Amino acid sequence: MAIVTRVAQRTHSAINPTSVLVLACHFVLLVSSTITPCYGFSGVGEEDEGNRGGELYPEILRDEAVARLQLLGKVSDGDGYLERIFMSPAAVRAGNLIRKWMEDAGLRTWVDCLGNVHGRVEGRNASAEALLIGSHLDTVVDAGIFDGSLGIISVLSALKVLSINGKLGELKRPVEVIAFSDEEGVRFQSTFIGSAAIAGILPISALQLTDKSDVTIQHALKKNSIEVTEEHLLQLKYDPKSVWGYVEIHIEQGPVLEWVGFPLGVVKGIAGQTRLKVTMKGSQGHAGTVPMSMRHDPMAAAAEAIVSLESLCKHPQDFLSFDGQCKSYSFESLSTSLVCTVGEISTWPSASNVIPGQVTFTVDLRAIDDMGREAVVYEFSNQLYQICDRRSVSCTIDRKHDANAVICDSELTSKLKSAAYLGLKRMTGSVQDEVPVLMSGAGHDAMALSHLTKVGMLFVRCRGGISHSPEEHVLDDDVWASGMAILAFIETQL
Ligand code: GLV
Ligand code: MN
Ligand code: MN
């Protein structure tokens, strides 16, 4: 039997774990103590000086917004579940619907050469730096209806209110809403295709990335009559001088807001992330005839690697060496923010009576600490190569995606915090507790946009912290609260 030799490709450069962890210490100091407890809607009644005319627009900011979320949630490529991946037929239909709602809000609209849908109003000064507000229109497979869509629909509802009140033309700067074509990265494993292009960080080579059916990004666009050349891609990048900032509303996708009993929170920072694709190749054979001691089974190797990854990410301090220069809380902080997931696995030829010839799986690693995350990727790679050596299977690691952690802009965050406070105060007629400040473990288009401009994010409470699941749920009144908050935020631009 041929022995399969290791062909591991180390796709990253060697790093010094000591310097990694010393830097990690400093980063964690920046983001510690981020959650401010608060106590819901209780508070002493007080005249609401911020309520301009007492208008709460529940029919637009709540009822219509919820109806639109439900409608968009039905625009799916899946039968009986929600799935809209980059440039799929449902994604195109969703884009058309969003475009209609943008026009309904009084915006001028267009679709760019990466499938992002834009709606813009120039306000009083078309050449002033624009405020960009957005989120994504794609979804994961078997998704909930709020992830991405809530951010788009809430801001369109708020702009519709301003349009009805004849205020759109009074904005002191252009406001542009962008429904990004890909944040989830389900189809091409490279997240932020749309937002990265606008931020100018999508490499030209990305156009040739392929999906499972070997369709490239460029071809997926062409099938929808969108021609994208290298030149188009370069032109898509926004000039940083033309942009004032980027704001995104998103469901929290975690349990903190529900836990503290508050509908809205602001985001201090977003965890960095790495996506890997691991391919293991062994000796394909007959399940009944090859003795256990003579197998080179990539399935067993993958299983061992996945369990090793779990141990590493549960207890990084047991695996990462450090020389005592880094205080223990940084390890503590890495352990508390570090999450690692194998969400997709495929085998060839995938039959019960065949020892697989090949197994491929994805790894998604996240932490608020970029250097700590890098150290974990490095350690996992070493462990994986050792497993592959021991089992005589070949193994390759492809680094599919990297995004560094992002710290949100303090001025935008404080404006969003005031807007959330004011919006909730208008709704409840009472003084509010301090709006909570959170870290985001989920990735957002704001990460890509942070390469172009300052970014700020507002989170909306969701039931049980559940997301990426059809169980995802946001209360109608919390949809309303998000609309009130973004309305109050945009009113600061009048
Ligand atoms: C997007 O939802 C991500 O964080 O993967
Ligand atoms: Mn999302
Ligand atoms: Mn998502």
Side-chain angles (χ1 to χ4, degrees):
M1 183 189 311
I3 300 289
V4 179
T5 52
R6 182 176 109 176
V7 291
Q9 292 170 3
R10 295 173 192 254
T11 53
H12 52 81
S13 55
I15 47 168
N16 171 352
T18 305
S19 59
V20 161
L21 293 163
V22 170
L23 278 167
C25 298
H26 297 301
F27 186 85
V28 168
L29 275 176
L30 277 176
V31 296
S32 60
S33 310
T34 50
I35 296 169
T36 312
C38 57
Y39 312 98
F41 283 106
S42 63
V44 187
E46 197 179 73
E47 196 183 332
D48 183 358
E49 79 284 351
N51 188 348
R52 300 164 194 224
E55 292 286 359
L56 299 174
Y57 308 100
E59 66 291 351
I60 297 173
L61 298 177
R62 183 189 55 200
D63 305 343
E64 186 175 67
V66 169
R68 286 176 171 185
L69 280 159
Q70 280 161 357
L71 192 60
L72 198 55
K74 292 198 172 71
V75 182
S76 173
D77 292 303
D79 191 9
Y81 62 94
L82 177 56
E83 173 182 340
R84 278 198 309 263
I85 58 173
F86 178 76
M87 277 291 137
S88 70
V92 172
R93 290 202 304 280
N96 290 338
L97 197 52
I98 290 167
R99 191 168 178 182
K100 225 174 73 193
W101 294 335
M102 285 174 165
E103 278 160 12
D104 179 53
L107 309 181
R108 173 174 63 84
T109 65
W110 70 97
V111 178
D112 70 32
C113 63
L114 277 179
N116 299 310
V117 183
H118 302 245
R120 182 170 168 118
V121 57
E122 304 300 341
R124 279 182 275 137
N125 181 0
S127 57
E129 294 171 322
L131 164 62
L132 307 183
I133 309 180
S135 200
H136 56 102
L137 64 83
D138 69 322
T139 73
V140 292
V141 180
D142 201 18
I145 66 171
F146 299 91
D147 180 2
S149 302
L150 176 65
I152 299 166
I153 288 171
S154 286
V155 67
L156 290 181
S157 305
L159 287 169
K160 180 168 175 173
V161 166
L162 290 178
S163 169
I164 287 169
N165 291 339
K167 294 274 170 74
L168 277 189
E170 290 176 26
L171 289 162
K172 67 180 173 203
R173 63 177 75 255
V175 173
E176 184 171 322
V177 181
I178 312 178
F180 295 109
S181 53
D182 168 81
E183 180 257 11
E184 304 289 5
V186 172
R187 183 163 181 187
F188 293 96
Q189 288 303 310
S190 165
T191 66
F192 312 138
I193 295 171
S195 44
I198 283 177
I201 56 163
L202 189 72
I204 283 166
S205 58
L207 294 181
Q208 302 314 322
L209 287 176
T210 49
D211 68 7
K212 284 180 190 151
S213 314
D214 273 338
V215 176
T216 62
I217 292 184
Q218 192 166 32
H219 194 65
L221 288 157
K222 198 168 182 165
K223 270 168 105 175
N224 287 289
S225 315
I226 300 180
E227 199 64 54
V228 59
T229 60
E230 293 180 8
E231 207 185 333
H232 290 144
L233 186 55
L234 294 174
Q235 282 166 2
L236 203 52
K237 174 184 171 11
Y238 278 33
D239 178 358
K241 290 197 213 82
S242 69
V243 178
W244 177 70
Y246 172 77
V247 165
E248 181 165 355
I249 303 170
H250 204 282
I251 58 163
E252 181 199 344
Q253 307 183 282
V256 176
L257 289 172
E258 189 174 68
W259 178 58
V260 298
F262 213 84
L264 302 174
V266 289
V267 179
K268 184 168 178 121
I270 310 171
Q273 49 178 268
T274 294
R275 287 191 190 186
L276 309 174
K277 182 176 162 203
V278 178
T279 305
M280 292 177 155
K281 291 185 182 166
S283 300
Q284 191 170 321
H286 196 296
T289 59
V290 184
M292 294 307 285
S293 60
M294 295 178 71
R295 295 185 179 202
H296 303 286
D297 181 349
M299 184 71 99
E304 188 180 343
I306 293 167
V307 173
S308 303
L309 176 71
E310 186 190 38
S311 302
L312 168 61
C313 297
K314 269 184 168 166
H315 308 289
Q317 67 279 13
D318 295 349
F319 297 92
L320 304 180
S321 58
F322 79 115
D323 63 2
Q325 289 181 51
C326 187
K327 294 195 178 73
S328 56
Y329 52 72
S330 58
F331 260 132
E332 228 175 272
S333 163
L334 180 63
S335 329
T336 50
S337 77
L338 178 65
V339 284
C340 308
T341 306
V342 174
E344 193 182 338
I345 184 161
S346 63
T347 71
W348 179 260
S350 211
S352 61
N353 60 347
V354 182
I355 304 163
Q358 177 170 316
V359 174
T360 305
F361 62 91
T362 57
V363 177
D364 178 311
L365 284 119
R366 304 180 188 210
I368 53 172
D369 177 329
D370 291 330
M371 299 304 274
R373 172 171 48 91
E374 194 60 43
V376 173
V377 172
Y378 184 80
E379 174 61 25
F380 172 63
S381 307
N382 281 338
Q383 291 188 10
L384 188 95
Y385 294 133
Q386 280 170 23
I387 292 166
C388 292
D389 271 350
R390 191 166 16 85
R391 291 176 170 274
S392 295
V393 299
S394 74
C395 95
T396 323
I397 302 176
D398 283 331
R399 211 159 168 148
K400 289 293 200 183
H401 169 68
D402 273 300
N404 279 347
V406 167
I407 300 294
C408 293
D409 177 71
S410 56
E411 184 199 336
L412 273 182
T413 303
S414 127
K415 282 187 184 344
L416 282 170
K417 205 171 178 185
S418 307
Y421 180 89
L422 181 57
L424 292 169
K425 193 173 166 206
R426 286 174 178 175
M427 281 175 74
T428 62
S430 66
V431 174
Q432 293 298 303
D433 294 304
E434 175 114 354
V435 176
V437 181
L438 295 86
M439 283 298 298
S440 174
H444 299 290
D445 292 295
M447 297 178 92
L449 268 289
S450 72
H451 292 262
L452 175 74
T453 184
K454 59 190 179 197
V455 301
M457 284 194 75
L458 188 71
F459 269 176
V460 184
R461 170 171 64 187
C462 60
R463 188 175 61 201
I466 297 170
S467 184
H468 285 188
S469 157
E471 295 300 309
E472 190 176 274
H473 185 69
V474 176
L475 295 172
D476 293 0
D477 278 355
D478 289 358
V479 171
W480 187 15
S482 73
M484 287 296 289
I486 196 67
L487 177 61
F489 179 79
I490 297 172
E491 280 173 353
T492 64
Q493 304 299 314
L494 284 172

